[in-house]
PDB file of all heavy atoms in Angstrom:
ATOM      1  N   GLY A 928     -54.145  41.724-111.589  1.00  0.00           N
ATOM      2  CA  GLY A 928     -53.500  40.471-111.944  1.00  0.00           C
ATOM      3  C   GLY A 928     -52.917  40.388-113.330  1.00  0.00           C
ATOM      4  O   GLY A 928     -51.705  40.303-113.505  1.00  0.00           O
ATOM      5  N   MET A 929     -53.789  40.460-114.324  1.00  0.00           N
ATOM      6  CA  MET A 929     -53.339  40.245-115.696  1.00  0.00           C
ATOM      7  C   MET A 929     -52.254  41.225-116.110  1.00  0.00           C
ATOM      8  O   MET A 929     -51.206  40.839-116.613  1.00  0.00           O
ATOM      9  CB  MET A 929     -54.532  40.381-116.666  1.00  0.00           C
ATOM     10  CG  MET A 929     -55.355  39.132-116.819  1.00  0.00           C
ATOM     11  SD  MET A 929     -54.344  37.668-117.080  1.00  0.00           S
ATOM     12  CE  MET A 929     -54.001  37.870-118.835  1.00  0.00           C
ATOM     13  N   GLN A 930     -52.535  42.504-115.827  1.00  0.00           N
ATOM     14  CA  GLN A 930     -51.601  43.540-116.250  1.00  0.00           C
ATOM     15  C   GLN A 930     -50.221  43.293-115.653  1.00  0.00           C
ATOM     16  O   GLN A 930     -49.202  43.279-116.360  1.00  0.00           O
ATOM     17  CB  GLN A 930     -52.145  44.892-115.796  1.00  0.00           C
ATOM     18  CG  GLN A 930     -51.412  46.059-116.419  1.00  0.00           C
ATOM     19  CD  GLN A 930     -51.801  47.367-115.760  1.00  0.00           C
ATOM     20  OE1 GLN A 930     -52.648  47.417-114.886  1.00  0.00           O
ATOM     21  NE2 GLN A 930     -51.171  48.434-116.166  1.00  0.00           N
ATOM     22  N   VAL A 931     -50.226  43.045-114.316  1.00  0.00           N
ATOM     23  CA  VAL A 931     -48.951  42.845-113.638  1.00  0.00           C
ATOM     24  C   VAL A 931     -48.243  41.606-114.177  1.00  0.00           C
ATOM     25  O   VAL A 931     -47.047  41.611-114.441  1.00  0.00           O
ATOM     26  CB  VAL A 931     -49.176  42.744-112.122  1.00  0.00           C
ATOM     27  CG1 VAL A 931     -47.900  42.311-111.431  1.00  0.00           C
ATOM     28  CG2 VAL A 931     -49.652  44.071-111.582  1.00  0.00           C
ATOM     29  N   THR A 932     -49.017  40.534-114.365  1.00  0.00           N
ATOM     30  CA  THR A 932     -48.405  39.304-114.868  1.00  0.00           C
ATOM     31  C   THR A 932     -47.765  39.543-116.220  1.00  0.00           C
ATOM     32  O   THR A 932     -46.635  39.110-116.465  1.00  0.00           O
ATOM     33  CB  THR A 932     -49.476  38.205-114.988  1.00  0.00           C
ATOM     34  OG1 THR A 932     -50.241  38.198-113.792  1.00  0.00           O
ATOM     35  CG2 THR A 932     -48.827  36.848-115.175  1.00  0.00           C
ATOM     36  N   LEU A 933     -48.480  40.247-117.073  1.00  0.00           N
ATOM     37  CA  LEU A 933     -47.939  40.500-118.409  1.00  0.00           C
ATOM     38  C   LEU A 933     -46.645  41.310-118.340  1.00  0.00           C
ATOM     39  O   LEU A 933     -45.641  40.942-118.938  1.00  0.00           O
ATOM     40  CB  LEU A 933     -48.977  41.230-119.271  1.00  0.00           C
ATOM     41  CG  LEU A 933     -50.018  40.319-119.909  1.00  0.00           C
ATOM     42  CD1 LEU A 933     -51.036  41.137-120.681  1.00  0.00           C
ATOM     43  CD2 LEU A 933     -49.334  39.309-120.827  1.00  0.00           C
ATOM     44  N   ILE A 934     -46.696  42.422-117.569  1.00  0.00           N
ATOM     45  CA  ILE A 934     -45.482  43.241-117.475  1.00  0.00           C
ATOM     46  C   ILE A 934     -44.347  42.417-116.879  1.00  0.00           C
ATOM     47  O   ILE A 934     -43.195  42.531-117.298  1.00  0.00           O
ATOM     48  CB  ILE A 934     -45.699  44.506-116.622  1.00  0.00           C
ATOM     49  CG1 ILE A 934     -46.964  45.247-117.053  1.00  0.00           C
ATOM     50  CG2 ILE A 934     -44.517  45.450-116.754  1.00  0.00           C
ATOM     51  CD1 ILE A 934     -47.238  46.485-116.221  1.00  0.00           C
ATOM     52  N   THR A 935     -44.697  41.576-115.889  1.00  0.00           N
ATOM     53  CA  THR A 935     -43.640  40.785-115.258  1.00  0.00           C
ATOM     54  C   THR A 935     -42.994  39.845-116.258  1.00  0.00           C
ATOM     55  O   THR A 935     -41.767  39.717-116.298  1.00  0.00           O
ATOM     56  CB  THR A 935     -44.210  39.979-114.078  1.00  0.00           C
ATOM     57  OG1 THR A 935     -44.899  40.869-113.204  1.00  0.00           O
ATOM     58  CG2 THR A 935     -43.101  39.286-113.323  1.00  0.00           C
ATOM     59  N   ILE A 936     -43.825  39.191-117.063  1.00  0.00           N
ATOM     60  CA  ILE A 936     -43.266  38.267-118.054  1.00  0.00           C
ATOM     61  C   ILE A 936     -42.332  39.020-118.998  1.00  0.00           C
ATOM     62  O   ILE A 936     -41.205  38.587-119.275  1.00  0.00           O
ATOM     63  CB  ILE A 936     -44.396  37.569-118.836  1.00  0.00           C
ATOM     64  CG1 ILE A 936     -45.137  36.606-117.902  1.00  0.00           C
ATOM     65  CG2 ILE A 936     -43.839  36.817-120.035  1.00  0.00           C
ATOM     66  CD1 ILE A 936     -46.397  36.033-118.476  1.00  0.00           C
ATOM     67  N   VAL A 937     -42.798  40.185-119.442  1.00  0.00           N
ATOM     68  CA  VAL A 937     -41.956  40.985-120.327  1.00  0.00           C
ATOM     69  C   VAL A 937     -40.658  41.372-119.612  1.00  0.00           C
ATOM     70  O   VAL A 937     -39.551  41.261-120.166  1.00  0.00           O
ATOM     71  CB  VAL A 937     -42.715  42.258-120.790  1.00  0.00           C
ATOM     72  CG1 VAL A 937     -41.791  43.181-121.563  1.00  0.00           C
ATOM     73  CG2 VAL A 937     -43.906  41.861-121.633  1.00  0.00           C
ATOM     74  N   ALA A 938     -40.791  41.792-118.346  1.00  0.00           N
ATOM     75  CA  ALA A 938     -39.615  42.249-117.602  1.00  0.00           C
ATOM     76  C   ALA A 938     -38.617  41.114-117.403  1.00  0.00           C
ATOM     77  O   ALA A 938     -37.403  41.305-117.526  1.00  0.00           O
ATOM     78  CB  ALA A 938     -40.038  42.825-116.253  1.00  0.00           C
ATOM     79  N   VAL A 939     -39.132  39.916-117.090  1.00  0.00           N
ATOM     80  CA  VAL A 939     -38.229  38.773-116.913  1.00  0.00           C
ATOM     81  C   VAL A 939     -37.530  38.469-118.229  1.00  0.00           C
ATOM     82  O   VAL A 939     -36.319  38.210-118.273  1.00  0.00           O
ATOM     83  CB  VAL A 939     -38.995  37.544-116.390  1.00  0.00           C
ATOM     84  CG1 VAL A 939     -38.118  36.311-116.450  1.00  0.00           C
ATOM     85  CG2 VAL A 939     -39.461  37.784-114.969  1.00  0.00           C
TER      86      VAL A 939
END
Side-chain angles (χ1 to χ4, degrees):
Chain A
M929 276 313 280
Q930 192 190 357
V931 171
T932 314
L933 278 177
I934 311 179
T935 307
I936 291 170
V937 173
V939 170

